[in-house]
């Protein structure tokens, strides 16, 4: 009797476990296929830049990459093979690559269909233009820890190349960009006693500033000059920015924010870094400008006024106001929604197309609901023609429209740094799914 019972239990376990495993795998696969199908339908099936390529011959379907990916539903298992199921949401952390136990994942740039421009950078971070260096994501390696490491190392190489040489009235180094690479480079330059300046079109923090509020930043222990080892593997965006600010204050470092570098001119043995506010003669230049590019301008009268912004950080600061958001992508819609949630705001969205463009599913649903409630008022097929102190002028297919206005937020995409790099003489190669 006992023997038969043991036999039955063993048989149930032997058959049951594989059946449960099979059913779970089937469910996971169906979910992943559904996510991928939606991404394809919405035209969001191309990764933005660095992303994992999963070799189907090596992948054993263990799912370690799916577990490791901190972004939701970016990777999934389809028919027991890892797959990028929401490609445009991959931010290139590379956690998946590190997690794969059989090395089936390689991080690559671009795809067969969509190339990504990568500048030439030598092992010492110098470009083909002697004296101009590149560190951080611009050179092709995403992630905060890589940017910090490269910013620090690039400045060590730069200091070595200068070998203590100084030129009168000329900086040793101009660092362009104050994201993680520029921050680490500035701190290292301070440690090494270089005469340098750091410029940024925006402010200290770089891309981290643009993360959603309270986003958990995933990183790995990294050596930040002056500060020491940044040990946390997970840290809130705000806390990481505070560390940057605290260490800058402690070392009496300041960046020149709001200075967009337009050009770098060669002058004898040196360079002149040109911004709309001035120019900086220097022996060496470090470009730590990331890959987001610069916000595209509308080029309309009044755009330079203080009421115009190209990002929204603190929606709570805008209450009882008349606001215009320009653009129809996710950033524009998220900002319009955030502004519409504040007290007594009137929020218009001006967009040149007939409808919003390739929105994330959640944003699509939320904006539809907001339009229905009248919380956001769309002005499709329109363009801004002038921005005045108390109003904004739109062209709506030949018919002018004037809206009372306190602030304008423009999300018209970005100009990628490729043209700038080429202008400076740096070789840029287009990669199609290669490292
Ligand atoms: C949504 C999102 C989530 C992410 N999450 C993580 C994460 O959890 N962990 C992680 O490790 N990585 C994450 N990343 C990637 C990480 O943010 C980047 O790899 C990192 O910020 C790159 O640092 P960087 O210094 O090279 O460039 P950036 O941070 O992009 O900084 C470049 C700076 O250069 C300035 N600049 C650009 N052009 C000019 C110009 N012409 N003149 C003057 N200044 C200029 C910009 O204003 C910017 O401040 C994420 C990225 C995104 C988009
Ligand atoms: S690179 Fe990062 S976001 Fe992309 S799949 Fe891997 S872990 Fe996820």
């Amino acid at each position: 009797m006992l023997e038969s019972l043991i036999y039955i239990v063993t048989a149930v376990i032997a058959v049951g476990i594989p059946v449960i495993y099979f059913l779970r795998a089937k469910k996971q696969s169906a979910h992943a296929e559904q996510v991928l199908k939606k991404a394809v339908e919405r035209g969001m099936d191309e990764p933005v830049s660095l992303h994992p390529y999963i070799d189907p011959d090596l992948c054993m379907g263990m799912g370690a990459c799916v577990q490791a990916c901190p972004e939701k539903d970016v990777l999934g298992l389809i028919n027991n093979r890892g797959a990028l199921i929401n490609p445009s949401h991959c931010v290139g952390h590379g956690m998946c690559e590190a997690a794969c136990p059989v090395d089936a994942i390689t991080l690559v740039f671009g795809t067969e269909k969509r190339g990504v421009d990568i500048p030439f950078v030598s092992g010492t971070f110098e470009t083909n233009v002697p004296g101009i260096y590149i560190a951080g994501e611009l050179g092709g390696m995403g992630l905060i820890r890589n940017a910090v490491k490269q910013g620090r190392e690039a400045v060590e190489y730069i200091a070595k190349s200068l070998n203590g040489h100084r030129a009168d009235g000329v900086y040793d180094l101009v660092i362009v960009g104050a994201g993680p690479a520029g921050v680490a480079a500035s701190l290292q330059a301070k440690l090494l006693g270089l005469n340098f300046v750091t410029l940024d079109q925006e402010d200290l923090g770089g891309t981290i500033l643009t993360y959603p509020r309270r986003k958990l930043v995933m990183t790995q222990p990294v050596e930040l000059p002056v500060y020491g080892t940044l040990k946390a593997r997970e840290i809130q965006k705000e806390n990481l920015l505070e560390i940057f600010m605290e260490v800058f204050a402690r070392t009496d470092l300041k960046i020149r924010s709001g200075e967009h570098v337009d050009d770098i001119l060669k002058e004898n043995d040196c360079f002149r870094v040109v911004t709309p506010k001035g120019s900086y003669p220097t022996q060496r230049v470090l470009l730590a400008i990331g890959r987001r590019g610069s916000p595209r301008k509308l080029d309309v009268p009044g755009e330079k006024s203080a009421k115009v912004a190209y990002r929204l950080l603190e929606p709570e600061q805008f209450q009882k106001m008349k606001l215009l958001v320009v653009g129809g992508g996710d950033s524009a819609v998220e900002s319009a929604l955030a502004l519409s949630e504040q007290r007594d705001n009137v929020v218009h969205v001006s967009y040149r197309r007939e409808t919003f463009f390739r929105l994330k599913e959640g944003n699509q649903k939320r904006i539809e609901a907001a339009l229905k409630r009248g919380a956001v008022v769309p002005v499709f097929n329109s363009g801004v023609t002038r921005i005045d102190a108390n109003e904004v002028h739109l062209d709506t297919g030949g018919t002018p429209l004037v809206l009372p206005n306190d602030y304008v937020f423009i999300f018209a995409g970005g100009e990628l740094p490729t043209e700038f790099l080429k202008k400076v003489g740096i070789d840029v190669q287009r990669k199609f799914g290669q490292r």
Side-chain angles (χ1 to χ4, degrees):
M1 177 68 186
L2 184 64
E3 250 176 42
S4 343
L5 197 63
I6 292 172
Y7 180 74
I8 291 168
V9 170
T10 312
V12 167
I13 291 173
V15 176
I17 289 178
V19 167
I20 291 170
Y21 176 80
F22 173 76
L23 291 176
R24 229 186 57 201
K26 213 173 148 203
K27 199 170 154 202
Q28 277 177 346
S29 186
H31 171 73
E33 280 177 68
Q34 192 57 23
V35 175
L36 179 59
K37 188 169 163 240
K38 276 194 189 154
V40 173
E41 279 167 7
R42 299 162 75 82
M44 299 183 73
D45 53 333
E46 285 291 311
V48 182
S49 178
L50 197 61
H51 65 279
Y53 164 73
I54 305 169
D55 186 333
D57 296 331
L58 293 179
C59 177
M60 294 175 71
M62 291 165 160
C65 54
V66 182
Q67 299 293 328
C69 178
E71 307 298 316
K72 194 174 172 278
D73 272 351
V74 167
L75 285 171
L77 288 178
I78 297 183
N79 298 328
N80 260 331
R81 293 287 176 276
L84 200 53
I85 56 175
N86 210 346
S88 66
H89 286 197
C90 173
V91 294
H93 297 109
M95 307 270 185
C96 46
E97 185 189 38
C100 180
V102 292
D103 291 337
I105 295 185
T106 323
L107 292 184
V108 296
F109 296 102
T111 63
E112 275 175 29
K113 271 197 261 165
R114 186 172 168 280
V116 169
D117 293 338
I118 303 292
F120 172 83
V121 187
S122 75
T124 60
F125 301 95
E126 197 165 19
T127 66
N128 57 299
V129 181
I132 302 188
Y133 292 68
I134 283 180
E137 192 162 345
L138 177 66
M141 290 286 280
L143 293 187
I144 293 163
R145 89 181 122 94
N146 291 329
V148 167
K149 184 169 178 286
Q150 290 193 358
R152 192 184 71 227
E153 289 177 358
V155 170
E156 281 167 4
Y157 281 115
I158 289 169
K160 258 189 214 152
S161 79
L162 287 169
N163 200 15
H165 180 261
R166 285 257 147 95
D168 269 355
V170 176
Y171 286 106
D172 296 333
L173 171 65
V174 170
I175 297 167
V176 188
V183 164
S186 306
L187 293 170
Q188 187 64 26
K190 179 84 182 179
L191 275 183
L192 296 177
L194 298 184
N195 173 22
F196 72 102
V197 63
T198 307
L199 311 171
D200 198 295
Q201 64 189 7
E202 292 176 2
D203 220 334
L204 188 72
T207 294
I208 297 169
L209 273 178
T210 69
Y211 293 173
R213 203 173 317 169
R214 289 194 278 278
K215 172 184 158 52
L216 264 192
V217 180
M218 318 296 293
T219 184
Q220 278 175 11
V222 62
E223 201 57 31
L224 186 65
V226 182
Y227 179 85
T229 312
L230 198 61
K231 288 193 190 115
R233 288 179 180 265
E234 279 185 5
I235 182 168
Q236 252 181 25
K237 158 200 169 166
E238 288 75 8
N239 296 343
L240 183 56
L241 290 173
E242 242 169 55
I243 290 179
F244 288 172
M245 281 190 266
E246 186 272 318
V247 73
F248 261 54
R250 191 168 8 127
T251 47
D252 204 20
L253 266 180
K254 288 188 183 63
I255 63 155
R256 298 198 187 201
S257 54
E259 288 218 44
H260 176 268
V261 172
D262 295 322
D263 209 351
I264 301 171
L265 308 171
K266 186 91 183 103
E267 276 185 356
N268 305 319
D269 286 346
C270 295
F271 300 96
R272 184 168 288 276
V273 176
V274 184
T275 81
K277 291 188 183 168
S279 71
Y280 302 83
T282 179
Q283 297 194 72
R284 301 283 185 272
V285 181
L286 176 63
L287 295 176
I289 58 177
R291 306 189 62 80
R292 270 185 317 129
S294 308
R296 189 167 286 126
K297 305 272 164 30
L298 300 180
D299 268 339
V300 295
E303 192 176 358
K304 289 206 173 99
S305 84
K307 67 181 266 187
V308 178
Y310 298 88
R311 65 171 187 210
L312 173 67
L313 288 183
E314 302 287 346
E316 302 79 17
Q317 288 180 0
F318 302 91
Q319 302 200 354
K320 298 187 187 174
M321 287 187 186
K322 298 178 179 63
L323 306 160
L324 178 73
V325 174
V326 181
D330 280 308
S331 307
V333 163
E334 281 167 17
S335 300
L337 288 166
L339 291 168
S340 74
E341 283 157 14
Q342 308 309 315
R343 200 149 53 99
D344 297 336
N345 281 339
V346 178
V347 182
H348 282 84
V349 178
S350 160
Y351 189 38
R352 63 193 159 86
R353 294 175 189 249
E354 290 185 343
T355 177
F356 294 113
F357 187 58
R358 290 183 176 179
L359 295 181
K360 286 183 198 153
E361 198 179 352
N363 285 338
Q364 182 75 40
K365 283 190 187 146
R366 288 177 64 215
I367 193 73
E368 278 168 14
L371 296 187
K372 236 187 219 165
R373 291 196 309 274
V376 173
V377 184
V379 192
F380 290 124
N381 297 313
S382 70
V384 176
T385 54
R386 203 173 82 224
I387 300 168
D388 288 341
N390 299 314
E391 53 197 25
V392 59
H393 297 248
L394 304 180
D395 173 49
T396 59
T399 313
L401 174 70
V402 183
L403 296 173
N405 176 265
D406 298 308
Y407 283 95
V408 178
F409 298 89
I410 301 172
F411 299 93
E415 280 160 12
L416 294 174
T418 305
E419 285 316 307
F420 169 69
L421 296 176
K422 286 186 179 164
K423 184 162 85 170
V424 171
I426 296 171
D427 287 341
V428 177
Q429 221 194 343
R430 189 156 287 188
K431 305 249 182 180
F432 292 89
Q434 302 137 285
R435 185 80 197 225

